[in-house]
Each structure stands twice: as structure tokens, then as C-alpha cells.
Amino acid sequence: MNTNNLTMKDLAEVETLIGISMDLWDDSPKAMLSVALAYVAAKKHNPDLTWEQAQNWTIEEMQKAAVVESPKAKRS
């Protein structure tokens, strides 16, 4: 999951969702951190997505929801 496009506001939302400061993410529950990061990223493209829906994703659904492919350059 590419988190490079998340803003500081997005990261603050992740902190709120999981209740853990970014400073402590290395020691945080990885499943909830992963879901929160994917949820915040996916919400940029699906504003109707809810936190409850994201918590019920399978790993495959989470990966698909958080990944938005960039347009490919056309070859001549």
C-alpha cells in the first residue's frame, strides 16, 4: 500500500481511528493500523466508505480498495 500520498491530516485521522500516536505505530496492532491506513487512502476515492465497512474487509479487499493505479503513458 502506497502511503506517500497521505497528508498530515490523513495521518492524524489514522491516529484517531486507532487511538495510537504515530510515534508508537511500530508497536501498534498491525491489523488495525493497516485497515486504518487503507481506509483513509480509499476514502479519497470513495467518500461514502465507512470505517465499519473497512473493518470488515478481507485482506484482498483492503489491498484493492487502497490502491489506485496511476494512468500509464501511451507508447508510440
Side-chain angles (χ1 to χ4, degrees), residues 1 31 34-36 38-39 42 49 51-67:
M1 172 183 347
S34 296
V35 172
Y39 167 73
L49 181 66
W51 175 234
E52 290 75 25
Q53 290 170 319
Q55 290 179 61
N56 288 307
W57 279 335
T58 64
I59 291 173
E60 184 178 0
E61 290 169 327
M62 179 181 72
Q63 291 171 336
K64 285 180 182 178
V67 174

Side-chain angles (χ1 to χ4, degrees), residues 11-20:
L11 296 174
E13 183 176 0
V14 171
E15 287 180 325
T16 300
L17 289 168
I18 64 172
I20 299 172

Side-chain angles (χ1 to χ4, degrees), residues 1-70:
M1 172 183 347
N2 184 356
T3 57
N4 291 335
N5 293 327
L6 295 180
T7 64
M8 295 309 291
K9 181 178 178 180
D10 295 333
L11 296 174
E13 183 176 0
V14 171
E15 287 180 325
T16 300
L17 289 168
I18 64 172
I20 299 172
S21 166
M22 209 167 130
D23 294 339
L24 303 174
W25 285 2
D26 287 339
D27 299 324
S28 70
K30 299 303 178 221
M32 288 307 290
L33 177 58
S34 296
V35 172
L37 286 167
Y39 167 73
V40 170
K43 220 169 143 64
K44 290 177 177 282
H45 306 284
N46 180 4
D48 295 329
L49 181 66
T50 68
W51 175 234
E52 290 75 25
Q53 290 170 319
Q55 290 179 61
N56 288 307
W57 279 335
T58 64
I59 291 173
E60 184 178 0
E61 290 169 327
M62 179 181 72
Q63 291 171 336
K64 285 180 182 178
V67 174
V68 176
E69 292 189 26
S70 55

